Amino acid sequence: MEENHQIARTAGIVSGATLLSRLAGLARDQVTANFFGDSSIAAAFVVAFRIPNLLRRLLAEGALTVAFVPVFVQTLAEGGPGAAKKLFRCMFTLLSLTLLVICAVGILLAPEIVSLMAPGFSPTTARYELTVLLTRLLFPYIFFIGLGALFMGALNSGGYFAVPALGPFAANLTMIAAIFFFNNHLEQPILSMVIGALAGGALQLAVQKPSLRCMGLSLRPKMNFSDPAIKKIIVLMGPAALGAAVYQISVFINTILASFLPEGSIPWLYYSDRLMQFPLGIFTMAISSAALPALSRLAASGDQAGFLASARFALDLSFFITIPAMTGLIILAEPLVTFLFQRGAFTTHSTAGTAAALKAFALGLPCLSGAAIITRIFYSRHDTRTPTLVGIGSLAAGAGTALILMSPLKHVGLALASSFSSLVNFIWLFIVLLKRERGFPLAPLLKELTSYVTLAAVMGVVIWPLGLWAAASGPTWALGLKTLITVAGGVLIYTLLALITRRPQAIPLIKLFHRRFPLKY
């Protein structure tokens, strides 16, 4: 129970910090949409930024974090602070060298990378040449974001969650400032986003350094790559890269396929995916970031009962949040996209394409979130092989579905294929989890899952008229106000229904913000 309370408290802290980061990221996307819309220039940047963004997901939310945290926690428990500090210095040195090599290779092979990522871009066009240039300029971003992932893993293991979660907030603000400051002073205005991305990545490292010093962790290089702990992290990282990022790789595949579709398809998928990152970043990644250290400690101590209880708690919590979030995104897709992006170069046509993709992406949100939690459960056991094998199968299913759906449904078919891939990934992982973890409390989880679907359906029926009202034409401020009222109404209705039906997840979440909430649980 204490670990569950810790997971909930930590998830609340990370959610709050991540909310600020996502709001800043949303503001960045609004500025980008205003200046560049869904033009070929915007498509060039999206493609060029996809590789660094994919590697960021693989490292910060995937391979490096999930491989490093369990081993770091185990080293700290068995060898003490001294051994943990040495492990961090060795990992910092090895990762720095590796990232420098990756950046150099990426810059050298930029034309080949662009041809692979966007085969629909003809090499004789200006769009292709711009994409190659942007790819080369953006590759150093991987160095900053990779080290940031290592810093985050170490800080999370030591109980520091807010500062790593706030790093992207500072990075997004930097990108916004760069666009406004450099946009009118460059021959190619899109380069302002490159300047902002690189400066933001460096700033994201800088804001974490004081907390590292508080933990006693040094950035002085240490060349001891024969350390068994280092070898273990490397062994775990390889398969973890795929297992923890099935959704991101499916988005990457979508970018390749969308390059063959009508102009605008790539930006529509990008903006809709960015809106999907709101509930994913604020809640799912917060819960999984909080759960991994807690589950790793329980696994290391041999507390099987506590491990199963915390695993079920994390899954339950993710469904409690993402099922109503899915409902809200589907109902409010048009007014959300209109209010957030439709201005400047982003037209009503752009809104229609983005909203359609958002609805398709939202269908997979609960499964995407559940799969992310289950992978953390496996990683806490130092098992990265299982999520990898399942991930390969899920990606194959998603890619095949995308090829079938892209012709009749265009970019919406690609988004639906991603949701289908998430569904396959979750069901497959969950079946394996039940076989591996004997005694997992399945019946209580299914009971709560059924109740969340019912409550979300009731909420959806109530706010559907509000969604139609919010989508009605009018000035931007009125549209924003109506959308905010509808969102607040949905949250209030769902929360009240959860309290009335005494759903166990509702009260701990409210206590994150009201510590003296009177009900017992």
Side-chain angles (χ1 to χ4, degrees):
M1 181 63 72
E2 179 58 33
E3 286 289 355
N4 291 351
H5 289 181
Q6 182 63 39
I7 290 173
R9 285 194 296 268
T10 302
I13 294 171
V14 177
S15 292
T18 305
L19 175 60
L20 292 176
S21 300
R22 296 299 179 181
L23 288 174
L26 178 60
R28 182 200 71 198
D29 290 335
Q30 287 178 307
V31 172
T32 304
N34 180 70
F35 280 102
F36 305 108
D38 55 5
S39 64
S40 60
I41 293 175
F45 180 82
V46 169
V47 171
F49 201 50
R50 185 65 74 192
I51 280 286
N53 223 23
L54 175 62
L55 291 179
R56 178 174 70 87
R57 300 289 183 191
L58 293 175
L59 290 172
E61 299 169 5
L64 181 58
T65 301
V66 299
F68 177 77
V69 170
V71 176
F72 188 78
V73 169
Q74 184 180 36
T75 302
L76 184 63
E78 297 177 356
K85 292 176 183 177
K86 290 180 181 177
L87 172 60
F88 177 79
R89 288 177 57 196
C90 291
M91 196 64 205
F92 170 74
T93 305
L94 177 60
L95 182 62
S96 297
L97 295 174
T98 303
L99 291 172
L100 287 173
V101 172
I102 291 174
C103 290
V105 172
I107 292 171
L108 181 65
L109 299 180
E112 288 76 13
I113 292 172
V114 171
S115 297
L116 175 65
M117 292 175 55
F121 286 13
S122 173
T124 60
T125 62
R127 180 173 62 171
Y128 174 85
E129 294 178 358
L130 177 60
T131 306
V132 170
L133 172 63
L134 294 177
T135 300
R136 282 183 167 139
L137 294 176
L138 283 168
F139 245 95
Y141 177 75
I142 296 172
F143 177 81
F144 299 118
I145 214 66
L147 291 181
L150 176 65
F151 292 0
M152 181 183 71
L155 292 175
N156 287 173
S157 300
Y160 293 80
F161 289 90
V163 171
L166 281 172
F169 173 71
N172 284 323
L173 289 184
T174 303
M175 287 191 71
I176 294 172
I179 293 173
F180 278 107
F181 186 81
F182 294 107
N183 187 70
N184 295 326
H185 301 283
L186 296 171
E187 182 178 348
Q188 183 54 266
I190 196 69
L191 294 178
S192 61
M193 295 192 67
V194 175
I195 295 172
L198 297 178
L203 183 60
Q204 198 167 337
L205 286 184
V207 298
Q208 296 186 73
K209 288 181 66 176
S211 297
L212 289 174
R213 285 197 294 268
C214 290
M215 283 187 64
L217 299 177
S218 170
L219 300 183
R220 288 187 294 111
K222 184 174 179 60
M223 307 285 286
N224 183 19
F225 304 149
S226 61
D227 188 328
I230 291 289
K231 294 180 179 179
K232 190 169 189 178
I233 291 172
I234 294 173
V235 169
L236 292 174
M237 276 186 66
L242 179 59
V246 171
Y247 173 76
Q248 295 304 326
I249 296 176
S250 70
V251 171
F252 176 74
I253 294 174
N254 282 350
T255 302
I256 296 175
L257 297 178
S259 68
F260 294 100
L261 295 178
E263 184 173 335
S265 297
I266 292 177
W268 295 340
L269 290 170
Y270 171 79
Y271 289 122
S272 57
D273 176 57
R274 291 295 300 167
L275 288 177
M276 269 282 289
Q277 296 306 314
F278 244 80
L280 281 177
I282 295 172
F283 300 114
T284 300
M285 295 316 303
I287 296 169
S288 59
S289 295
L292 182 58
L295 290 170
S296 298
R297 286 191 294 269
L298 291 168
S301 66
D303 184 358
Q304 178 67 3
F307 181 88
L308 292 177
S310 292
R312 179 240 163 163
F313 178 84
L315 268 174
D316 201 343
L317 190 58
S318 74
F319 287 132
F320 176 75
I321 294 170
T322 56
I323 290 176
M326 172 194 69
T327 306
L329 284 175
I330 292 173
I331 293 175
L332 294 174
E334 284 87 358
L336 277 172
V337 175
T338 301
F339 170 64
L340 294 174
F341 298 123
Q342 189 176 302
R343 57 184 59 84
F346 201 92
T347 64
T348 54
H349 180 63
S350 308
T351 294
T354 303
L358 178 58
K359 292 177 183 179
F361 274 133
L363 289 172
L365 179 58
C367 291
L368 180 59
S369 178
I373 301 300
I374 295 177
T375 56
R376 266 57 178 184
I377 296 173
F378 283 115
Y379 294 148
S380 66
R381 295 288 198 189
H382 297 192
D383 177 11
T384 57
R385 182 173 178 270
T386 298
T388 300
L389 296 177
V390 173
I392 293 172
S394 303
L395 282 173
T401 305
L403 290 172
I404 294 172
L405 296 180
M406 68 180 290
S407 178
L409 299 178
K410 307 305 180 185
H411 72 289
V412 177
L414 299 181
L416 284 172
S418 290
S419 293
F420 178 71
S421 177
S422 298
L423 173 65
V424 173
N425 192 41
F426 170 73
I427 293 176
W428 197 342
L429 283 172
F430 191 61
I431 292 173
V432 177
L433 175 68
L434 294 178
K435 291 181 179 180
R436 297 276 182 86
E437 301 292 345
R438 299 294 182 180
F440 185 88
L442 174 62
L445 179 63
L446 292 179
K447 178 182 177 182
E448 293 303 322
L449 180 59
T450 303
S451 69
Y452 300 153
V453 172
T454 303
L455 297 183
V458 174
M459 178 201 75
V461 170
V462 174
I463 69 169
W464 186 276
L466 291 176
L468 296 177
W469 169 66
S473 60
T476 302
W477 68 266
L479 179 63
L481 180 61
K482 290 189 292 185
T483 303
L484 181 61
I485 291 173
T486 305
V487 171
V491 172
L492 178 61
I493 291 168
Y494 184 78
T495 303
L496 288 176
L497 289 172
L499 289 173
I500 291 172
T501 57
R502 301 193 66 81
R503 299 279 58 82
Q505 299 297 347
I507 299 171
L509 281 177
I510 291 176
K511 282 194 171 185
L512 292 173
F513 306 98
H514 301 281
R515 295 183 179 180
R516 296 186 180 182
F517 192 74
L519 295 180
K520 295 181 180 180
Y521 62 99

